[in-house]
Amino acid sequence: MLAEAQKKLHQVFGYPAFRGGQGKVVASLLQGHDTLAIMPTGAGKSLCYQLPALLVDGITLVVSPLISLMKDQVDALLAHGIAATFINSSLKAAELRERLAGIENGRYKLVYVSPERLQAENFLEIARRVQVSLIAVDEAHCVSQWGHDFRPSYRKIPLFLAKLPRRPVVGAFTATATPEVKEDIIKLLHLQKPHVIVTGFDRKNLSFSVLREVDKDEFLLSYLTAHKKQSGIVYAATRDDVEKIALFLQENGLACGRYHAGMRKAERTASQEAFLRDEPPVMVATNAFGMGIDKANVRFVIHYSIPQNLEAYYQEAGRAGRDGETAECILLFHPRDKIVQQYLIEQTVYSSRRLRHELAKLQQVVDYCHTAKCLRRTLLDYFGDEEGGEGCGNCSNCRGEGEVLDVTVEAQKILSCVYRLQGRFGAAMVAQVLKGAGTKRIRRLRLDSVSTYGIMAEKSIAEIRDLIGFLIAEGCLRLTEGKYPLLKLGRNAAAVLKGQIKVLRPSGGGIVQEERYGRPG
Ligand code: ADP
Ligand code: ZN
């Protein structure tokens, strides 16, 4: 069957080979498995159902949310000589009748429909009379409320399937690789023992770095000075930050554009167009910038502070290196960033379930900033893309800038303190106790009499906080969910406290990077 698929790939579509995981998806569908394919935009999802559609008897229904895209897709198929059509509300009555009759007479291999159409009685009648072998649900994330394009009618797809005399194989396709959306698709589309294939997320030409505890302004200045002619985007968390950063750079003789939702529309458009012409080549922006922008030569994306979740990070960072040439994605982290984002999330999220969920996703970004593992692997694991090796050799952790430090003793001190405080306090308080800070609150709560008070006096609060962040990322500590997270012992804490495992940490972070980029001359 797969040999046959290869042949059609050349003959009908004119492609020399499958791309990425296309072959796997096609094979899975042809073997009759429900299949969830998660592939980034542009990876070639359409082919994954169009090709099987030609190799199975009967017709393939493609559920597509966008009327405008249906026509384009069908036109492209017709150009390849494939019998395809679409049914949606844009059709006049006579045309609709004609096409429905065509479906019944077996005139088409592929039929594109809107999800709403599946509920129409006359459509269902015809679908029951013909052989529907495969149903491809495009943009399947629309079934999930976690996504941004929730379409209630997607939830009714299983009802349609249940009314068919024989259940077709179901393929679901999306570019949204978040764990909760994936689970929703499987559950809400009633996929049966689906093969889940996540593929194509690795962007090998991008190098990832995290810098913690650097002076962000100084870093920006030195980086932009060293990369003067290059195009890049600096993402900031708030409009205020954008204004401040842009002003700061301009005062230091570095030209940059700015973009945020507080600017007038005309101003935003002008700014965006200037950036596309590289006049100037650097843009300072909030996450309002980037939708639908396809600038090929972006050489770096610097996040001045953390975004709200890893998918936003990957999407924004992914605007670098579209031309396939090497590009850098650098994330600057300061513990304060989390508080800013938490505040922003609280301003926009009202349901408490959703809030907990969003805060947990924010914590995953903080963990990303502290992990000792390969950054690329961490991102791909998050999305569930198993391809690529363990270490990429091209991220700030893999490059192993600096030696590996044994922080077992520090870890034990911190864990004992959390243990003594019985997990009743947050990270800030734990750090203060370890430092031996003499605040009123500490005295009032008598935390200065705890045995671990001041046992890390030689370190700064910032250093202790940084270590705590690392221990959370490594599963030695964990934060409870909610607005005021408490610091608790994590699953690996016991082994560390008993001295059964060593805690090793690459000394990446600020110091080494600062040497690497140098100061502006
Ligand atoms: P997606 O839906 O995943 O965003 P598309 O299905 O629109 O992506 O495909 C993106 C582009 O890749 C299209 O122009 C398509 O013709 C092309 N393409 C798909 N598969 C292949 C392949 N195996 N070889 C070469 N080009 C391909
Ligand atoms: Zn790596």
Side-chain angles (χ1 to χ4, degrees), residues 406-420 430 434 451-452 455-456 467 470-471 476-477 489 492-503:
D406 184 341
V407 294
T408 309
V409 174
E410 284 91 341
Q412 286 169 336
K413 287 180 181 174
I414 294 172
L415 297 185
S416 329
C417 184
V418 172
Y419 177 74
R420 295 270 172 247
V430 171
L434 284 160
S451 62
T452 49
I455 56 171
M456 294 182 85
L467 268 166
F470 169 69
L471 293 173
C476 298
L477 290 170
L489 293 181
N492 297 329
V496 173
L497 283 167
K498 288 184 202 151
Q500 288 164 344
I501 50 175
K502 266 197 206 171
V503 185

Side-chain angles (χ1 to χ4, degrees), residues 320-335:
R322 286 270 167 84
D323 54 6
E325 301 290 318
T326 58
E328 288 197 278
C329 309
I330 301 170
L331 177 49
L332 307 181
F333 175 78
H334 187 283

Side-chain angles (χ1 to χ4, degrees), residues 305-358:
S305 63
I306 58 172
Q308 287 181 4
N309 52 57
L310 286 177
E311 41 283 356
Y313 180 63
Y314 206 60
Q315 194 168 51
E316 287 158 16
R319 301 207 166 103
R322 286 270 167 84
D323 54 6
E325 301 290 318
T326 58
E328 288 197 278
C329 309
I330 301 170
L331 177 49
L332 307 181
F333 175 78
H334 187 283
R336 203 174 8 192
D337 297 350
K338 184 184 169 190
I339 300 168
V340 173
Q341 286 298 1
Q342 183 167 335
Y343 174 80
L344 294 174
I345 290 171
E346 282 161 3
Q347 298 310 298
T348 49
V349 175
Y350 297 107
S351 105
S352 64
R353 186 170 95 98
R354 183 84 187 216
L355 181 63
R356 246 185 298 128
H357 184 79
E358 295 300 333

Side-chain angles (χ1 to χ4, degrees), residues 162-404:
K163 287 177 188 155
L164 296 178
R166 240 183 77 203
R167 185 180 183 279
V169 174
V170 183
F173 297 83
T174 181
T176 308
T178 65
E180 60 277 12
V181 171
K182 177 160 76 183
E183 276 162 33
D184 262 8
I185 292 173
I186 293 172
K187 195 172 78 190
L188 298 169
L189 288 181
H190 296 202
L191 299 188
Q192 294 175 2
K193 295 195 196 139
H195 286 184
V196 180
I197 298 166
V198 187
T199 182
F201 284 88
D202 191 4
R203 300 271 313 276
K204 292 198 170 58
N205 60 321
L206 303 185
S207 81
F208 294 92
S209 301
V210 170
L211 304 188
R212 295 183 307 272
E213 312 279 338
V214 286
D215 181 323
K216 294 181 176 188
D217 287 336
E218 211 167 275
F219 170 79
L220 261 192
L221 211 52
S222 70
Y223 189 92
L224 294 184
T225 306
H227 298 80
K228 235 181 183 154
K229 299 248 159 58
Q230 294 187 350
S231 179
I233 306 171
V234 178
Y235 277 110
T238 65
R239 299 171 189 186
D240 269 2
D241 281 352
V242 169
E243 296 292 344
K244 269 189 231 151
I245 295 165
L247 191 63
F248 166 77
L249 292 177
Q250 279 152 10
E251 281 171 357
N252 283 281
L254 291 163
C256 66
R258 52 193 187 95
Y259 191 105
H260 59 70
M263 291 159 55
R264 278 179 300 121
K265 180 132 197 301
E267 224 182 337
R268 283 204 309 262
T269 311
S271 180
Q272 173 171 330
E273 282 170 1
F275 174 68
L276 293 177
R277 292 191 307 268
D278 282 329
E279 295 170 359
V282 175
M283 179 69 102
V284 182
T286 61
N287 61 4
F289 180 68
M291 282 297 176
I293 288 198
D294 202 1
K295 187 174 194 290
N297 69 339
V298 175
R299 293 272 68 81
F300 60 86
V301 171
I302 298 175
H303 278 74
Y304 189 82
S305 63
I306 58 172
Q308 287 181 4
N309 52 57
L310 286 177
E311 41 283 356
Y313 180 63
Y314 206 60
Q315 194 168 51
E316 287 158 16
R319 301 207 166 103
R322 286 270 167 84
D323 54 6
E325 301 290 318
T326 58
E328 288 197 278
C329 309
I330 301 170
L331 177 49
L332 307 181
F333 175 78
H334 187 283
R336 203 174 8 192
D337 297 350
K338 184 184 169 190
I339 300 168
V340 173
Q341 286 298 1
Q342 183 167 335
Y343 174 80
L344 294 174
I345 290 171
E346 282 161 3
Q347 298 310 298
T348 49
V349 175
Y350 297 107
S351 105
S352 64
R353 186 170 95 98
R354 183 84 187 216
L355 181 63
R356 246 185 298 128
H357 184 79
E358 295 300 333
L359 293 179
K361 289 172 77 89
L362 175 60
Q363 181 59 37
Q364 289 172 313
V365 182
V366 177
D367 288 349
Y368 172 80
C369 294
H370 288 96
T371 187
K373 293 195 220 44
C374 171
L375 294 176
R376 183 190 312 274
R377 191 66 257 157
T378 304
L379 290 164
L380 292 176
D381 281 348
Y382 176 76
F383 295 126
D385 188 335
E386 290 166 3
E387 282 152 37
E390 271 312 299
C392 71
N394 189 22
C395 69
S396 53
N397 287 343
C398 279
R399 285 191 300 266
E401 285 142 358
E403 80 249 71
V404 175

